[in-house]
Amino acid sequence: MSIDQLAETAQAMVAAGKGIIAIDESNNTIKKRFDGVGIECTEENRRAYRELLLTTPRLGDYISGAILYDETLRQKTRDGVPFAEVMHQNGIIPGIKVDKGPQPLAGFPGEVCTEGLDGLRDRLKEYAQLGARFAKWRAVISIGDDIPSGTCIEANSHALARYAALCQEAGIVPMVEPEVLMDGEHDIDTCYEVTEVVLRSLFAALYDQNVMLEGTILKASMIISGKDCPEQASVEEVAEMTLRCLKTTVPALLPGIVFLSGGQSDEAATAHLDAMNRMGPNPWPLSFSYGRAMQSAALKLWSKDIAGNVAIAQQTVYARAKDNGLAALGKWVKAE
Ligand code: 13P
């Protein structure tokens, strides 16, 4: 696959006014979400829930792509149509989570490094055959007493760059995700400092491993106060500091940046994205790749009646997609 084709996919992922829905929870993670609303985590319930999300009428108005989990990419609608095919029909690009999750980093208590490089070349080949056009790998960086260490940051950047190079070899756009967690009491300045180091390390590693930025998407965490910090930064501060941090670390050649929601409320995730786009023009399209901030309202509704509440839950998914799509243009209007 040529770089032009990768670049075309990457640009389509961040088309104006569109973003990504992340529905790539591993079976362990979706079990936690289902437990939270009292749904049994069976394969059929996972399938039915993902079908609800992916068949939301006119989802493609505001959603360019969806990230799936391995099991989901192999599943079909109740009528027997593979999910990748349904997505194709609705103009939604199939993506796949390819990392195997974070594992404790030996010698560095409290820190993790994401695994999944072994056998990745073959897995990517299969995912491409199943219809995936982009792939996500999430590194997790925690802020705490004396962490993150430089070793943790470097190890995760190295793995992200190795995975990204393998993706491009397979004709798949890498969506590189170094998530700086919002858990903790740290203030927004600490989040800025850590994120700046993480992004510098990541882009140096991508360069070292010959990753073509024109065919890469960054999935970033926002610069935000720690969840338990007594002083919570305003929407404007979050937007300004996130933009400053990205402008000083991310090359303008990158086709786009999408954000994770990371535990922010639905409204905060939308308001922050909207504020950043109102402060533009920016060097890259800034959009969303939200999981919880796209799904939680719909999941809650669906859990109340999984046979009867499909259409109403889909309306909620559409409404969240619309709000975030407008925020990606800086045109979101907060409901009164
Ligand atoms: P959240 O938006 O719920 O953080 O999920 C996005 C994601 O895909 C994290 O990897």
Side-chain angles (χ1 to χ4, degrees), residues 22 24 136 138 177 179 219 260-263 289-293:
D24 61 333
K136 187 193 95 172
R138 171 175 175 257
E177 181 185 13
E179 176 173 2
K219 177 159 175 166
L260 57 98
S261 57
S289 175
Y290 296 155
R292 282 161 287 180

Side-chain angles (χ1 to χ4, degrees), residues 7-324:
E8 200 180 306
T9 301
Q11 285 160 18
M13 289 164 66
V14 288
K18 293 190 185 188
I20 310 276
I21 180 169
I23 59 169
D24 61 333
E25 300 86 359
S26 65
N27 286 353
N28 283 339
T29 303
I30 196 72
K31 182 174 184 322
K32 280 187 224 153
R33 307 270 188 268
F34 277 9
D35 283 349
V37 293
I39 294 177
E40 200 188 340
C41 192
T42 61
E43 185 176 345
E44 172 51 22
N45 280 347
R46 293 193 294 270
R47 193 207 60 75
Y49 177 58
R50 268 66 181 253
E51 175 169 352
L52 177 160
L53 296 171
L54 292 172
T55 60
T56 293
R58 298 186 18 237
L59 189 62
D61 291 357
Y62 300 104
I63 295 292
S64 57
I67 320 170
L68 310 185
Y69 181 56
D70 180 276
E71 175 185 275
T72 319
L73 186 60
R74 301 171 194 282
Q75 286 176 323
K76 300 176 176 162
T77 63
R78 209 162 54 159
D79 297 336
V81 186
F83 283 154
E85 179 55 34
V86 172
M87 295 168 73
H88 190 65
Q89 287 164 8
N90 295 333
I92 296 172
I93 305 169
I96 177 80
K97 185 232 296 289
V98 298
D99 67 70
K100 294 207 161 173
Q103 293 295 328
L105 182 63
F108 290 82
E111 298 197 278
V112 293
C113 187
T114 301
E115 298 195 347
L117 290 171
D118 286 359
L120 182 58
R121 176 176 273 130
D122 290 338
R123 288 198 290 130
L124 286 168
K125 232 181 262 170
E126 192 198 1
Y127 288 142
Q129 280 162 5
L130 288 167
R133 307 253 309 275
F134 70 98
K136 187 193 95 172
W137 178 289
R138 171 175 175 257
V140 182
I141 306 291
S142 296
I143 300 179
D145 291 343
D146 297 326
I147 62 170
S149 64
T151 305
C152 172
I153 291 170
E154 296 302 318
N156 276 291
S157 293
H158 187 260
L160 273 164
R162 294 267 330 267
Y163 123 88
L166 283 162
C167 284
Q168 292 189 331
E169 181 189 88
I172 287 179
V173 171
M175 177 192 268
V176 294
E177 181 185 13
E179 176 173 2
V180 177
L181 294 180
M182 59 190 276
D183 299 341
E185 294 177 359
H186 56 273
D187 60 12
I188 190 168
D189 293 328
T190 307
C191 179
Y192 183 105
E193 283 160 26
V194 169
T195 307
E196 180 176 359
V197 175
V198 166
L199 290 175
R200 283 199 194 293
S201 160
L202 171 62
F203 282 93
L206 293 174
Y207 178 75
D208 285 346
Q209 309 263 352
N210 284 344
V211 174
M212 297 173 282
L213 294 184
E214 300 91 324
T216 302
I217 294 287
L218 172 67
K219 177 159 175 166
S221 41
M222 296 181 194
I223 307 299
I224 204 165
S225 318
K227 214 164 53 188
D228 300 321
C229 178
E231 207 175 306
Q232 291 291 311
S234 66
V235 170
E236 271 61 41
E237 271 176 287
V238 170
E240 267 169 28
M241 289 183 71
T242 304
L243 283 176
R244 181 145 40 100
C245 189
L246 291 171
K247 283 180 185 170
T248 190
T249 53
V250 181
L253 199 65
L254 203 79
I257 301 174
V258 293
F259 293 99
L260 57 98
S261 57
Q264 297 181 46
S265 70
D266 289 6
E267 184 175 311
T270 304
H272 289 146
L273 178 62
D274 185 64
M276 280 187 259
N277 281 305
R278 283 177 196 265
M279 288 171 187
N282 294 312
W284 344 254
L286 296 178
S287 191
F288 60 95
S289 175
Y290 296 155
R292 282 161 287 180
M294 273 296 303
Q295 298 180 48
S296 36
L299 178 61
K300 221 175 276 168
L301 268 176
W302 184 61
S303 71
K304 296 194 175 118
D305 182 357
I306 65 174
N309 273 1
V310 171
I312 185 173
Q314 287 180 328
Q315 284 165 21
T316 310
V317 176
Y318 186 81
R320 289 299 301 140
K322 182 173 181 183
D323 276 355
N324 290 318

